[in-house]
Amino acid sequence: NAGVTQTPKFQVLKTGQSMTLQCAQDMNHNSMYWYRQDPGMGLRLIYYSASEGTTDKGEVPNGYNVSRLNKREFSLRLESAAPSQTSVYFCASSVLAENKNIQYFGAGTRLSVL
Amino acid sequence: GNSVTQMEGPVTLSEEAFLTINCTYTATGYPSLFWYVQYPGEGLQLLLKATKADDKGSNKGFEATYRKETTSFHLEKGSVQVSDSAVYFCALDTGRRALTFGSGTRLQVQP
């Protein structure tokens, strides 16, 4: 009953450090997404992957890279962290049901960049 | 482009009060509409959905009706509980890529 699992839950970085946020889903979904959540701005799409082997930029991709390692896993990498990347990051996966895109979210990673 | 506008919070209510959280949208075509809920320290969970005009989504006592003429999808509940305290997000899907979310409305229910 795991659903979408994100690691780590919390992380503090110094400016310029790199890190990878991990995401895995066990629902056999084709599509996966990375969002960031900032106060007063809702969720904004960073990158998404419609299927294994494909990735596309979302609304705010600058400063990030992604890898769709296999159908289950979709990682988000910050090569050189900046304070503007302090945020809560959510991974999601989705299935098309009755032509509706139902998304399932992980619990989030809270990242602070000092 | 697509956008979702929600009423600003926080909304503070007493237990058993009536709740309305307003949501209006701008979109091309005929989007599906969603309400997601985020409890403290957790990810977003789908609360309810509607896929066409005049559809009513409902779940856990919450309801929302897809009004195409007013481009609205307001969330309502007749009697809120303390356990309903959370952040509520309105979202739309036009079938292109990911969902478009509103900025969220925090609900605080006091005993």
Side-chain angles (χ1 to χ4, degrees), chain A residues 33 35 37 40-43 45 48 57-58 90 100-103 105-107 110, chain B residues 32 34 36 38 41-44 46 49 51 89 93 97-99 101-104:
Chain A
Y33 311 82
Y35 293 90
Q37 182 183 28
M41 300 187 73
L43 277 72
L45 182 67
Y48 73 104
K57 295 179 180 179
F90 288 100
K100 295 182 290 295
N101 180 10
I102 307 300
Q103 295 199 4
F105 286 81
R110 283 154 181 76
Chain B
S32 296
F34 304 86
Y36 278 82
Q38 183 181 28
E42 298 184 10
L44 280 70
L46 179 64
K49 61 186 183 293
T51 59
F89 292 92
D93 174 32
R97 306 197 312 185
L99 301 179
F101 286 88
S103 57

Short mmCIF file of all heavy atoms in Angstrom, two decimals, chain A residues 33 35 37 40-43 45 48 57-58 90 100-103 105-107 110, chain B residues 32 34 36 38 41-44 46 49 51 89 93 97-99 101-104:
data_model
loop_
_atom_site.label_atom_id
_atom_site.label_comp_id
_atom_site.label_asym_id
_atom_site.label_seq_id
_atom_site.Cartn_x
_atom_site.Cartn_y
_atom_site.Cartn_z
N TYR A 33 5.68 12.98 -12.33
CA TYR A 33 5.81 14.43 -12.33
C TYR A 33 6.64 14.89 -11.13
O TYR A 33 6.62 14.25 -10.07
CB TYR A 33 4.43 15.10 -12.19
CG TYR A 33 3.38 14.58 -13.14
CD1 TYR A 33 2.68 13.41 -12.86
CD2 TYR A 33 3.08 15.24 -14.32
CE1 TYR A 33 1.73 12.90 -13.72
CE2 TYR A 33 2.12 14.76 -15.19
CZ TYR A 33 1.45 13.59 -14.89
OH TYR A 33 0.49 13.11 -15.75
N TYR A 35 6.82 18.51 -8.93
CA TYR A 35 6.30 19.84 -8.68
C TYR A 35 7.10 20.47 -7.54
O TYR A 35 7.65 19.77 -6.69
CB TYR A 35 4.85 19.78 -8.20
CG TYR A 35 3.82 19.31 -9.19
CD1 TYR A 35 3.49 17.96 -9.29
CD2 TYR A 35 3.13 20.22 -9.99
CE1 TYR A 35 2.51 17.53 -10.17
CE2 TYR A 35 2.14 19.79 -10.88
CZ TYR A 35 1.84 18.46 -10.95
OH TYR A 35 0.85 18.03 -11.82
N GLN A 37 6.33 23.43 -4.45
CA GLN A 37 5.26 24.17 -3.78
C GLN A 37 5.86 25.30 -2.97
O GLN A 37 6.65 25.07 -2.06
CB GLN A 37 4.46 23.24 -2.86
CG GLN A 37 3.30 23.94 -2.17
CD GLN A 37 2.56 23.02 -1.20
OE1 GLN A 37 3.15 22.09 -0.64
NE2 GLN A 37 1.28 23.26 -1.01
N GLY A 40 1.75 30.63 -1.25
CA GLY A 40 0.93 31.52 -2.07
C GLY A 40 0.97 31.25 -3.55
O GLY A 40 0.38 32.00 -4.33
N MET A 41 1.66 30.19 -3.97
CA MET A 41 1.81 29.95 -5.41
C MET A 41 1.32 28.58 -5.84
O MET A 41 1.47 28.21 -6.98
CB MET A 41 3.27 30.11 -5.82
CG MET A 41 3.82 31.49 -5.51
SD MET A 41 5.46 31.75 -6.17
CE MET A 41 5.08 31.91 -7.91
N GLY A 42 0.76 27.82 -4.93
CA GLY A 42 0.28 26.51 -5.33
C GLY A 42 1.42 25.62 -5.76
O GLY A 42 2.57 25.77 -5.33
N LEU A 43 1.13 24.68 -6.63
CA LEU A 43 2.14 23.76 -7.15
C LEU A 43 2.50 24.14 -8.58
O LEU A 43 1.62 24.38 -9.40
CB LEU A 43 1.63 22.32 -7.14
CG LEU A 43 1.74 21.56 -5.83
CD1 LEU A 43 0.73 22.07 -4.83
CD2 LEU A 43 1.56 20.07 -6.06
N LEU A 45 4.81 22.93 -11.99
CA LEU A 45 5.42 21.76 -12.59
C LEU A 45 6.86 22.05 -12.98
O LEU A 45 7.14 23.02 -13.69
CB LEU A 45 4.62 21.34 -13.82
CG LEU A 45 5.10 20.10 -14.55
CD1 LEU A 45 4.92 18.86 -13.68
CD2 LEU A 45 4.36 19.94 -15.87
N TYR A 48 8.14 16.57 -16.20
CA TYR A 48 7.28 15.40 -16.16
C TYR A 48 7.80 14.36 -17.15
O TYR A 48 8.61 14.65 -18.03
CB TYR A 48 5.82 15.77 -16.45
CG TYR A 48 5.53 16.11 -17.90
CD1 TYR A 48 4.88 15.21 -18.73
CD2 TYR A 48 5.89 17.35 -18.42
CE1 TYR A 48 4.60 15.52 -20.04
CE2 TYR A 48 5.63 17.66 -19.72
CZ TYR A 48 4.97 16.75 -20.54
OH TYR A 48 4.70 17.07 -21.84
N LYS A 57 10.13 19.34 -20.14
CA LYS A 57 10.16 20.46 -19.22
C LYS A 57 8.75 20.92 -18.89
O LYS A 57 7.85 20.89 -19.73
CB LYS A 57 10.95 21.62 -19.83
CG LYS A 57 12.41 21.32 -20.04
CD LYS A 57 13.12 22.51 -20.68
CE LYS A 57 14.59 22.20 -20.88
NZ LYS A 57 15.31 23.34 -21.52
N GLY A 58 8.61 21.39 -17.65
CA GLY A 58 7.37 21.99 -17.23
C GLY A 58 7.49 23.49 -17.17
O GLY A 58 8.19 24.11 -17.97
N PHE A 90 7.26 17.90 -4.53
CA PHE A 90 6.35 16.77 -4.57
C PHE A 90 6.52 16.00 -5.87
O PHE A 90 6.59 16.59 -6.95
CB PHE A 90 4.89 17.23 -4.47
CG PHE A 90 4.49 17.71 -3.11
CD1 PHE A 90 4.43 19.05 -2.82
CD2 PHE A 90 4.20 16.79 -2.11
CE1 PHE A 90 4.08 19.49 -1.55
CE2 PHE A 90 3.84 17.22 -0.84
CZ PHE A 90 3.79 18.57 -0.56
N LYS A 100 -9.75 10.81 -17.51
CA LYS A 100 -9.37 11.78 -16.49
C LYS A 100 -7.98 11.45 -15.97
O LYS A 100 -7.66 10.29 -15.76
CB LYS A 100 -10.38 11.76 -15.34
CG LYS A 100 -11.78 12.21 -15.73
CD LYS A 100 -12.69 12.20 -14.53
CE LYS A 100 -13.00 10.80 -14.05
NZ LYS A 100 -13.77 10.02 -15.04
N ASN A 101 -7.19 12.51 -15.79
CA ASN A 101 -5.81 12.36 -15.33
C ASN A 101 -5.80 12.42 -13.81
O ASN A 101 -5.75 13.50 -13.24
CB ASN A 101 -4.98 13.48 -15.95
CG ASN A 101 -3.51 13.40 -15.53
OD1 ASN A 101 -3.08 12.43 -14.93
ND2 ASN A 101 -2.77 14.45 -15.83
N ILE A 102 -5.84 11.27 -13.15
CA ILE A 102 -5.87 11.23 -11.69
C ILE A 102 -4.44 11.11 -11.18
O ILE A 102 -3.75 10.14 -11.49
CB ILE A 102 -6.70 10.03 -11.18
CG1 ILE A 102 -8.09 10.03 -11.83
CG2 ILE A 102 -6.78 10.08 -9.67
CD1 ILE A 102 -8.89 11.28 -11.54
N GLN A 103 -4.01 12.10 -10.41
CA GLN A 103 -2.64 12.11 -9.92
C GLN A 103 -2.58 11.71 -8.45
O GLN A 103 -3.43 12.08 -7.66
CB GLN A 103 -2.02 13.50 -10.12
CG GLN A 103 -1.90 13.86 -11.58
CD GLN A 103 -0.92 14.98 -11.85
OE1 GLN A 103 -0.25 15.45 -10.96
NE2 GLN A 103 -0.83 15.39 -13.10
N PHE A 105 0.08 11.66 -5.11
CA PHE A 105 1.24 12.41 -4.66
C PHE A 105 1.99 11.69 -3.54
O PHE A 105 1.39 11.01 -2.70
CB PHE A 105 0.81 13.78 -4.15
CG PHE A 105 0.42 14.73 -5.24
CD1 PHE A 105 -0.82 14.66 -5.83
CD2 PHE A 105 1.33 15.67 -5.70
CE1 PHE A 105 -1.18 15.54 -6.86
CE2 PHE A 105 0.99 16.55 -6.72
CZ PHE A 105 -0.26 16.48 -7.29
N GLY A 106 3.31 11.92 -3.52
CA GLY A 106 4.11 11.53 -2.39
C GLY A 106 3.96 12.55 -1.26
O GLY A 106 3.28 13.56 -1.40
N ALA A 107 4.62 12.28 -0.13
CA ALA A 107 4.49 13.12 1.06
C ALA A 107 5.35 14.37 1.00
O ALA A 107 5.21 15.26 1.84
CB ALA A 107 4.83 12.31 2.31
N ARG A 110 11.12 18.45 1.98
CA ARG A 110 11.29 19.85 2.38
C ARG A 110 12.77 20.20 2.28
O ARG A 110 13.58 19.67 3.04
CB ARG A 110 10.76 20.07 3.78
CG ARG A 110 9.25 20.14 3.78
CD ARG A 110 8.61 19.75 5.09
NE ARG A 110 7.17 19.83 5.02
CZ ARG A 110 6.38 18.94 4.40
NH1 ARG A 110 6.90 17.89 3.84
NH2 ARG A 110 5.08 19.09 4.37
N SER B 32 -11.32 18.93 -17.14
CA SER B 32 -11.80 18.27 -15.94
C SER B 32 -11.36 19.10 -14.74
O SER B 32 -10.31 19.75 -14.77
CB SER B 32 -11.21 16.86 -15.83
OG SER B 32 -11.64 16.05 -16.89
N PHE B 34 -10.84 19.42 -10.37
CA PHE B 34 -10.52 18.62 -9.20
C PHE B 34 -10.40 19.51 -7.97
O PHE B 34 -10.04 20.68 -8.05
CB PHE B 34 -9.17 17.91 -9.38
CG PHE B 34 -9.06 17.05 -10.60
CD1 PHE B 34 -8.68 17.60 -11.82
CD2 PHE B 34 -9.32 15.69 -10.53
CE1 PHE B 34 -8.57 16.81 -12.96
CE2 PHE B 34 -9.21 14.90 -11.66
CZ PHE B 34 -8.83 15.45 -12.87
N TYR B 36 -8.16 18.93 -4.47
CA TYR B 36 -7.22 18.14 -3.71
C TYR B 36 -7.13 18.72 -2.30
O TYR B 36 -7.29 19.93 -2.10
CB TYR B 36 -5.82 18.17 -4.34
CG TYR B 36 -5.63 17.21 -5.48
CD1 TYR B 36 -6.06 17.53 -6.76
CD2 TYR B 36 -5.02 15.97 -5.29
CE1 TYR B 36 -5.89 16.66 -7.82
CE2 TYR B 36 -4.83 15.09 -6.34
CZ TYR B 36 -5.27 15.44 -7.60
OH TYR B 36 -5.10 14.56 -8.65
N GLN B 38 -4.64 18.79 1.31
CA GLN B 38 -3.32 18.50 1.87
C GLN B 38 -3.39 18.68 3.38
O GLN B 38 -3.52 19.80 3.89
CB GLN B 38 -2.28 19.45 1.28
CG GLN B 38 -0.87 19.18 1.77
CD GLN B 38 0.14 20.15 1.17
OE1 GLN B 38 -0.20 21.29 0.83
NE2 GLN B 38 1.37 19.72 1.03
N GLY B 41 1.82 18.14 6.90
CA GLY B 41 2.93 17.20 6.78
C GLY B 41 2.73 16.10 5.76
O GLY B 41 3.56 15.19 5.68
N GLU B 42 1.68 16.19 4.97
CA GLU B 42 1.40 15.13 4.00
C GLU B 42 1.36 15.68 2.57
O GLU B 42 1.37 16.88 2.35
CB GLU B 42 0.06 14.46 4.32
CG GLU B 42 0.04 13.78 5.69
CD GLU B 42 -1.27 13.06 5.93
OE1 GLU B 42 -2.07 12.91 4.99
OE2 GLU B 42 -1.49 12.64 7.08
N GLY B 43 1.30 14.77 1.61
CA GLY B 43 1.13 15.15 0.22
C GLY B 43 -0.32 15.43 -0.09
O GLY B 43 -1.19 15.37 0.78
N LEU B 44 -0.59 15.76 -1.35
CA LEU B 44 -1.96 16.06 -1.75
C LEU B 44 -2.73 14.78 -2.01
O LEU B 44 -2.21 13.81 -2.54
CB LEU B 44 -1.95 16.90 -3.04
CG LEU B 44 -1.68 18.38 -2.89
CD1 LEU B 44 -0.24 18.66 -2.51
CD2 LEU B 44 -2.03 19.11 -4.18
N LEU B 46 -6.51 13.40 -3.65
CA LEU B 46 -7.71 13.75 -4.42
C LEU B 46 -8.93 13.71 -3.52
O LEU B 46 -9.20 12.71 -2.85
CB LEU B 46 -7.89 12.79 -5.59
CG LEU B 46 -9.11 13.03 -6.46
CD1 LEU B 46 -9.03 14.38 -7.16
CD2 LEU B 46 -9.27 11.90 -7.48
N LYS B 49 -13.87 15.14 -7.94
CA LYS B 49 -13.62 15.54 -9.31
C LYS B 49 -14.93 15.67 -10.08
O LYS B 49 -15.95 15.12 -9.68
CB LYS B 49 -12.71 14.55 -10.00
CG LYS B 49 -13.29 13.13 -10.08
CD LYS B 49 -12.30 12.16 -10.64
CE LYS B 49 -12.89 10.76 -10.80
NZ LYS B 49 -13.21 10.14 -9.50
N THR B 51 -16.05 16.04 -14.50
CA THR B 51 -15.46 16.03 -15.83
C THR B 51 -16.23 16.82 -16.87
O THR B 51 -15.69 17.09 -17.94
CB THR B 51 -15.32 14.59 -16.33
OG1 THR B 51 -16.62 13.99 -16.36
CG2 THR B 51 -14.40 13.79 -15.44
N PHE B 89 -6.80 22.62 -2.53
CA PHE B 89 -6.34 23.09 -3.84
C PHE B 89 -7.36 22.74 -4.91
O PHE B 89 -7.79 21.58 -5.03
CB PHE B 89 -5.01 22.44 -4.23
CG PHE B 89 -3.85 22.85 -3.39
CD1 PHE B 89 -3.50 22.13 -2.26
CD2 PHE B 89 -3.07 23.95 -3.75
CE1 PHE B 89 -2.41 22.51 -1.49
CE2 PHE B 89 -1.98 24.33 -2.98
CZ PHE B 89 -1.66 23.60 -1.85
N ASP B 93 -7.53 20.03 -15.49
CA ASP B 93 -6.79 19.19 -16.44
C ASP B 93 -7.43 19.33 -17.80
O ASP B 93 -8.60 19.01 -17.98
CB ASP B 93 -6.82 17.73 -15.97
CG ASP B 93 -6.19 16.79 -16.99
OD1 ASP B 93 -5.25 17.20 -17.69
OD2 ASP B 93 -6.65 15.64 -17.08
N ARG B 97 -0.46 17.35 -20.58
CA ARG B 97 0.55 17.30 -19.54
C ARG B 97 -0.07 17.27 -18.15
O ARG B 97 -0.99 16.54 -17.86
CB ARG B 97 1.54 18.48 -19.67
CG ARG B 97 2.19 18.61 -21.02
CD ARG B 97 3.40 19.47 -21.01
NE ARG B 97 3.23 20.73 -20.32
CZ ARG B 97 4.17 21.67 -20.29
NH1 ARG B 97 5.31 21.47 -20.92
NH2 ARG B 97 3.99 22.79 -19.66
N ALA B 98 0.47 18.12 -17.28
CA ALA B 98 0.12 18.02 -15.86
C ALA B 98 -1.05 18.92 -15.50
O ALA B 98 -1.58 19.66 -16.31
CB ALA B 98 1.34 18.40 -15.02
N LEU B 99 -1.45 18.82 -14.24
CA LEU B 99 -2.56 19.64 -13.74
C LEU B 99 -2.10 21.09 -13.54
O LEU B 99 -0.93 21.35 -13.28
CB LEU B 99 -3.06 19.09 -12.42
CG LEU B 99 -3.56 17.65 -12.42
CD1 LEU B 99 -4.00 17.24 -11.02
CD2 LEU B 99 -4.70 17.48 -13.40
N PHE B 101 -2.77 24.07 -10.93
CA PHE B 101 -3.29 24.22 -9.58
C PHE B 101 -3.53 25.68 -9.23
O PHE B 101 -2.81 26.58 -9.69
CB PHE B 101 -2.29 23.66 -8.55
CG PHE B 101 -2.22 22.17 -8.51
CD1 PHE B 101 -1.36 21.48 -9.34
CD2 PHE B 101 -3.02 21.46 -7.63
CE1 PHE B 101 -1.29 20.09 -9.30
CE2 PHE B 101 -2.96 20.08 -7.57
CZ PHE B 101 -2.10 19.40 -8.41
N GLY B 102 -4.52 25.90 -8.36
CA GLY B 102 -4.67 27.18 -7.70
C GLY B 102 -3.65 27.30 -6.57
O GLY B 102 -2.90 26.36 -6.29
N SER B 103 -3.63 28.45 -5.92
CA SER B 103 -2.61 28.72 -4.89
C SER B 103 -2.93 28.07 -3.56
O SER B 103 -2.10 28.11 -2.66
CB SER B 103 -2.45 30.22 -4.70
OG SER B 103 -3.69 30.81 -4.35
N GLY B 104 -4.10 27.49 -3.41
CA GLY B 104 -4.45 26.81 -2.17
C GLY B 104 -5.15 27.73 -1.18
O GLY B 104 -4.89 28.93 -1.12
#
